[in-house]
Amino acid sequence: MSRSTTRLGLGLGASAFLLTAGLVPAPARAADPTDYTLTVDPAARGATIDDTMYGVFFEDINRAADGGLYAELVQNRSFEYAPDDNRSYTPLTSWTVDGSAQVLGDAGRLNERNRSYLSLGAGSSVTNSGYNTGVRVEQGRKYDFSVWARAEGGSTLTVSLEDADGTLATARRVAVRTKGWARYRATFTAARTSSVGRLRVASSGAAALDMVSLFPRDTYRHEPNGLRKDLAEKIAALKPGFVRFPGGCLVNTGSMQDYSEASNWQRARSYQWKDTIGPVEQRATNANFWGYNQSYGLGYYEYFRLAEDVGAMPLPVVPALVTGCGQNRAVVDDALLARHVQDTLDLIEFANGPVTSTWGAKRARMGHPRPFRLTHIEVGNEENLPAEFFARFEEFRAAIEAKYPDVTVISNSGPDDSGPTFDAAWQLNRDAGVDMVDEHYYNSPQWFLQNNDRYDSYDRGGPKVFLGEYASQGNAFKNGLAEAAYMTGLERNADVVELASYAPLFANEDYVQWRPDLVWFNNHASWNSANYEVQKLFMTNVGDRVVPSTATGTPSLQGPIAGAVGLSTWATGAAYDDVRVTGADGATLLSDDFSGDAAQWTHTGGGSWSLQDGQYVQSDTAAENTMVSAGDPAWHDYDLRVKATKKSGKEGFLIAFGVKDTGTYYWWNLGGWNNTRSAVEQAVDGGKSTLISQAGSVETGRAYDVHVKVRGRQVTLYLDGQEWGGFTDDKPAEPFRQVVTRDEKSGDLIVKVVNAQSSEARTAIDLGRAKVASRARVTTLTAAPDAVNSETATAVAPVTSTFTGVARKFTYTFPANSVTFLRIGRK
């Protein structure tokens, strides 16, 4: 179903009034005009919405697992942290030693997969600093300590919790009496609250230690080896239809080889499910793609339990032997491919098999004889080599469908929302009749406002869409507004988009690799982003079927692309020369051959710029976005020509146009993404989206002639005199969007309206022949566009109210910058 949308406003009829706490718009007069009309056709049948449509995507990024959702309080509990090139991590990371201690990996280790242990000298101690500022304990709560230990001559371990102010709990003494490894336990009750605690283990005699652990007794649902309660409860509060795990880039990066290979065990390895099950002391550890080490204490079994506990469908992702996330390598090894295919079949048996099956029995031994009811599985993630990926995907799909025909096998379309890789991947998926294709994109709020109709034109008979990762590049309320507007289009097209999940889910504020994120936390608190509040509002008010509706108003107008010009680099050194900007009439607006100075240019980014041999050179290969700009922000309809030469570094060069300020511009990114692709990106208030993209690289030391031709909202790009591509940026960023659904159980009509503009939206609403009650339950999110939630302030939170005055035809004023849900009951 398509519809027309434009800028709207809303008014209250004279007989209507709003009852609310803190939000009481003045009644409108009968003569007040309405800027929009919203017409609902309750007799028409729109798309059915599955209960599983909205879910969550958990990836161990931003320390989301260890130090986050996984409740373990000890960091590097098994002394397995793998050293990295910068020595940021060592086997003693997070530990301090008083006396003598040494990490060993000899034949005396705990088991084959737990390769390191600590040899602690008599009279010595080690202290663990936990995560963030320290080990968090709360007064009156219990904490369970455990350790695997052995001592040739016997030893007594004194275990204590303390911070700079003293003791946090009564110390415990553990007698180690065996020469072989055994597990020892103790329990603490915290005498006071602290977020800067330390766990100290002292030994009277020589002893070996491994798996030093401290867990809060009060985990989510009180499960052992469990989840941090507040974070798991935030997932449960969303009522997700599915949980996608474990990634993401963790799945298809690093080595795909066996863990047992001596050359591989301390290096980043793709996330493989068999590493993560069984007793925690026998699970592998791994160097994470995101730059840190992970314990796998939170593994596939725990993910399945989480999905079950929150009432969601489990949706695991397995590697397809084609790397992604910038690595772009296809593994050619038939035996290894066969092993991974079998591993995937074994995973399905682990999830669904009876207790008499090999892997079903392993699940039962872990404490869960009932099957987990796995119905969907995804193969691969964001592969940028569509042909190579799809050949391997077909091997997985054939094997899965042959043995488990009721399991939906999900493919993907690469890392972008459009472009050659996206088109090629979709064509392969379409031609092969794949059931579902995973799309990922992270774009600016403007892109989401411009592309509400993205799925209106998708083939209704083709593969279904799983929108597995999306976000609008920020955690301010304006980002949530843009995402909310976009979600109305997802629901309207629920016959195409069957699953959708914002990404990523969690971020530990002290270990951030990616922004934005849905939930933020540290070692003692967690808070919902504005985006979370939007997701929760949609996820808990989905409805069962779309009720067709239209919104009409005054179209927004756009002028020509206008702005100054700029030069930049990203982790690269480059030289620029002979910059010339001419108007459409040929008049010179800017000319600079850098034979004198660079006075025409304003340095707005980082980096190190200087004049060298008649060129303007940026030489800092570590700096990102080093932009310098020149010209008038009002310039339009012009040609920009420049000579650009890559000097050193990872990427190419960036030629900017339409530059309004440091966060709003277009640039032609030549040799981006580690010199594998070139694209035009648009930045609006700091959030970027890709407008056109092609594979390709630039050569170091070669001078390129770059020409950007801007006419109105049409841009044509030339490289060395040949047309490279072009685009027209003429889609309006519509601020008013709506969708209406029906809850079959309650009979409610759910009118969902997003007003992403700075003025009220006065709207006449026509519900057709629907028999409706006069009252509506209203939930409203409204705040300043730049409002951000934090640990200490909740600027964006839902407000509930009651609106009386509902009729088949009525008016309503939606606040500026708001998301509003009206639940209208049957009469």
Side-chain angles (χ1 to χ4, degrees):
M1 179 194 73
S2 62
R3 57 139 198 218
S4 170
T5 61
T6 53
R7 297 165 58 97
L8 339 170
L10 294 178
L12 283 170
S15 63
F17 61 91
L18 184 67
L19 302 176
T20 183
L23 180 66
V24 187
R29 299 180 299 276
D32 280 349
T34 56
D35 301 303
Y36 289 90
T37 61
L38 194 165
T39 304
V40 182
D41 185 358
R45 292 176 63 84
T48 298
I49 306 174
D50 292 340
D51 291 340
T52 56
M53 178 172 182
Y54 292 125
V56 295
F57 165 48
F58 180 91
E59 179 173 6
D60 190 358
I61 185 174
N62 309 312
R63 297 273 188 166
D66 295 334
L69 184 61
Y70 186 47
E72 173 66 77
L73 297 173
V74 175
Q75 184 173 178
N76 190 21
R77 65 185 176 187
S78 62
F79 311 100
E80 298 282 322
Y81 270 21
D84 63 4
D85 292 340
N86 297 318
R87 304 297 295 178
S88 300
Y89 298 103
T90 74
L92 279 173
T93 293
S94 295
W95 294 95
T96 56
V97 176
D98 184 6
S100 64
Q102 185 178 6
V103 176
L104 301 177
D106 57 26
R109 58 187 176 231
L110 180 59
N111 58 61
E112 181 62 26
R113 288 191 169 228
N114 200 322
R115 295 174 180 257
S116 298
Y117 66 95
L118 184 73
S119 175
L120 187 62
S124 300
S125 67
V126 288
T127 302
N128 191 269
S129 58
Y131 296 91
N132 297 90
T133 56
V135 175
R136 165 71 174 184
V137 296
E138 296 181 42
Q139 183 176 358
R141 296 192 178 273
K142 294 185 180 300
Y143 296 85
D144 294 321
F145 168 82
S146 67
V147 63
W148 284 81
R150 60 178 171 81
E152 295 294 328
S155 179
T156 297
L157 303 180
T158 301
V159 187
S160 56
L161 278 169
E162 54 198 38
D163 63 10
D165 294 328
T167 300
L168 292 170
T170 301
R172 295 288 183 255
R173 287 177 173 79
V174 176
V176 180
R177 298 189 178 92
T178 178
K179 295 180 181 180
W181 288 102
R183 192 181 186 194
Y184 300 89
R185 296 177 173 88
T187 298
F188 294 95
T189 300
R192 55 189 177 84
T193 295
S194 177
S195 296
V196 293
R198 300 290 187 265
L199 176 72
R200 182 173 181 267
V201 182
S203 181
S204 64
L209 308 180
D210 207 344
M211 297 297 292
V212 182
S213 173
L214 186 70
F215 259 88
R217 178 76 58 86
D218 190 20
T219 59
Y220 181 61
R221 298 172 66 95
H222 305 288
E223 292 176 353
N225 194 52
L227 307 180
R228 180 171 149 174
K229 188 175 180 180
D230 62 326
L231 297 183
E233 286 177 343
K234 288 187 182 300
I235 299 175
L238 293 170
K239 301 187 183 302
F242 64 88
V243 177
R244 178 179 181 248
F245 61 88
C249 289
L250 293 186
V251 170
N252 63 337
T253 53
S255 169
M256 308 284 176
Q257 300 292 333
D258 291 334
Y259 179 83
S260 59
E261 292 187 5
S263 63
N264 181 59
W265 76 273
Q266 280 194 332
R267 297 177 185 172
R269 179 170 183 260
S270 64
Y271 198 110
Q272 298 179 36
W273 77 273
K274 289 179 180 178
D275 293 345
T276 76
I277 65 167
V280 290
E281 71 273 10
Q282 296 177 16
R283 299 183 188 181
T285 60
N286 195 21
N288 186 311
F289 170 80
W290 293 110
Y292 55 91
N293 288 260
Q294 56 192 153
S295 72
Y296 288 154
L298 175 57
Y300 260 69
Y301 178 76
E302 289 76 24
Y303 287 128
F304 278 121
R305 287 294 299 265
L306 170 63
E308 182 179 67
D309 287 346
V310 300
M313 174 180 78
L315 204 166
V317 187
V318 297
L321 275 71
V322 178
T323 60
C325 304
Q327 294 187 356
N328 300 334
R329 177 174 56 89
V331 178
V332 181
D333 186 330
D334 290 342
L336 186 61
L337 176 60
R339 195 266 286 173
H340 275 266
V341 171
Q342 185 59 52
D343 281 354
T344 302
L345 298 176
D346 293 343
L347 171 60
I348 299 172
E349 183 176 284
F350 178 77
N352 294 349
V355 295
T356 54
S357 66
T358 299
W359 291 96
K362 291 181 184 293
R363 180 194 68 239
R365 285 197 294 272
M366 294 186 72
H368 201 283
R370 298 187 316 278
F372 284 117
R373 294 182 294 180
L374 173 67
T375 60
H376 291 65
I377 193 165
E378 183 171 356
V379 178
N381 171 77
E382 293 188 10
E383 284 76 17
N384 206 30
L385 301 171
E388 292 86 344
F389 160 73
F390 201 77
R392 289 156 180 78
F393 170 83
E394 287 282 60
E395 298 261 0
F396 283 84
R397 183 170 72 143
I400 295 168
E401 290 182 346
K403 191 168 184 179
Y404 301 104
D406 294 333
V407 173
T408 298
V409 186
I410 303 172
S411 180
N412 75 81
S413 59
D416 299 310
D417 63 88
S418 60
T421 297
F422 178 88
D423 293 340
W426 254 105
Q427 191 63 50
L428 289 166
N429 286 306
R430 193 178 297 111
D431 291 347
V434 170
D435 289 328
M436 185 174 288
V437 178
D438 187 2
E439 294 188 355
H440 294 178
Y441 37 84
Y442 299 90
N443 289 321
S444 68
Q446 177 162 307
W447 185 94
F448 283 93
L449 292 174
Q450 288 176 316
N451 286 278
N452 178 273
D453 63 349
R454 176 182 176 89
Y455 296 107
D456 289 0
S457 58
Y458 270 49
D459 181 5
R460 264 52 196 168
K464 302 304 181 185
V465 172
F466 171 25
L467 180 50
E469 298 183 33
Y470 72 98
S472 71
Q473 299 177 337
N475 278 143
F477 187 52
K478 63 187 176 186
N479 300 97
L481 283 171
E483 290 154 6
Y486 194 72
M487 292 171 79
T488 66
L490 299 183
E491 288 192 9
R492 187 177 67 252
N493 290 287
D495 55 331
V496 170
V497 184
E498 290 195 346
L499 306 172
S501 51
Y502 180 101
L505 180 57
F506 288 126
N508 187 323
E509 66 173 353
D510 291 333
Y511 308 96
V512 181
Q513 287 86 33
W514 186 274
R515 299 171 188 268
D517 304 283
L518 206 60
V519 175
W520 288 78
F521 66 92
N522 50 38
N523 72 352
H524 60 274
S526 59
W527 54 97
N528 303 333
S529 67
N531 318 68
Y532 176 98
E533 297 297 349
V534 165
Q535 292 290 322
K536 183 179 179 182
L537 188 55
F538 274 85
M539 292 169 75
T540 57
N541 293 277
V542 180
D544 300 292
R545 182 178 293 278
V546 174
V547 180
S549 63
T550 58
T552 59
T554 305
S556 55
L557 302 176
Q558 289 184 304
I561 292 174
V565 299
L567 311 171
S568 189
T569 60
W570 196 285
T572 301
Y576 298 94
D577 201 359
D578 297 333
V579 179
R580 189 176 180 214
V581 181
T582 54
D585 59 358
T588 298
L589 303 176
L590 171 71
S591 181
D592 201 336
D593 64 3
F594 302 109
S595 58
D597 56 32
Q600 298 184 83
W601 298 87
T602 300
H603 190 184
T604 58
S608 176
W609 289 88
S610 62
L611 292 175
Q612 298 179 22
D613 300 324
Q615 295 180 315
Y616 203 20
V617 177
Q618 197 295 114
S619 56
D620 186 345
T621 57
E624 298 178 348
N625 191 3
T626 63
M627 188 182 293
V628 293
S629 62
D632 189 336
W635 280 352
H636 61 87
D637 295 298
Y638 58 75
D639 290 80
L640 164 63
R641 293 177 173 85
V642 59
K643 281 184 169 32
T645 306
K646 173 182 176 177
K647 306 285 282 186
S648 60
K650 297 179 180 179
E651 305 210 343
F653 33 80
L654 298 151
I655 311 300
F657 55 99
V659 178
K660 291 293 190 184
D661 52 46
T662 56
T664 302
Y665 52 84
Y666 301 80
W667 68 19
W668 188 2
N669 186 347
L670 286 149
W673 296 270
N674 290 321
N675 206 16
T676 61
R677 278 196 295 149
S678 296
V680 175
E681 298 175 282
Q682 181 184 19
V684 179
D685 294 332
K688 291 199 294 288
S689 54
T690 301
L691 303 182
I692 183 174
S693 175
Q694 295 183 24
S697 60
V698 300
E699 300 174 22
T700 301
R702 175 183 165 188
Y704 290 84
D705 288 317
V706 181
H707 176 191
V708 180
K709 180 179 180 180
V710 182
R711 295 293 186 273
R713 302 202 67 82
Q714 170 71 41
V715 176
T716 310
L717 305 133
Y718 302 88
L719 191 62
D720 289 337
Q722 301 296 313
E723 185 172 333
W724 179 87
F727 64 93
T728 302
D729 181 24
D730 61 357
K731 295 187 73 172
E734 296 292 359
F736 185 93
R737 296 292 185 183
Q738 102 295 331
V739 70
V740 180
T741 63
R742 184 182 295 281
D743 185 320
E744 299 292 357
K745 184 177 181 179
S746 66
D748 289 352
L749 278 178
I750 311 173
V751 179
K752 312 174 187 185
V753 174
V754 181
N755 179 29
Q757 58 189 334
S758 59
S759 58
E760 293 179 336
R762 298 166 298 169
T763 301
I765 300 175
D766 185 346
L767 299 179
R769 294 184 174 275
K771 295 180 179 180
V772 293
S774 61
R775 287 175 174 262
R777 287 173 290 157
V778 184
T779 306
T780 305
L781 289 171
T782 186
D786 292 325
V788 177
N789 288 348
S790 68
E791 179 183 355
T792 57
T794 305
V796 182
V799 173
T800 58
S801 60
T802 301
F803 173 72
T804 64
V806 177
R808 289 181 177 176
K809 293 185 179 181
F810 67 101
T811 56
Y812 190 91
T813 296
F814 295 97
N817 302 307
S818 67
V819 183
T820 305
F821 279 30
L822 301 170
R823 290 193 71 115
I824 303 171
R826 285 196 182 115
K827 187 173 182 179

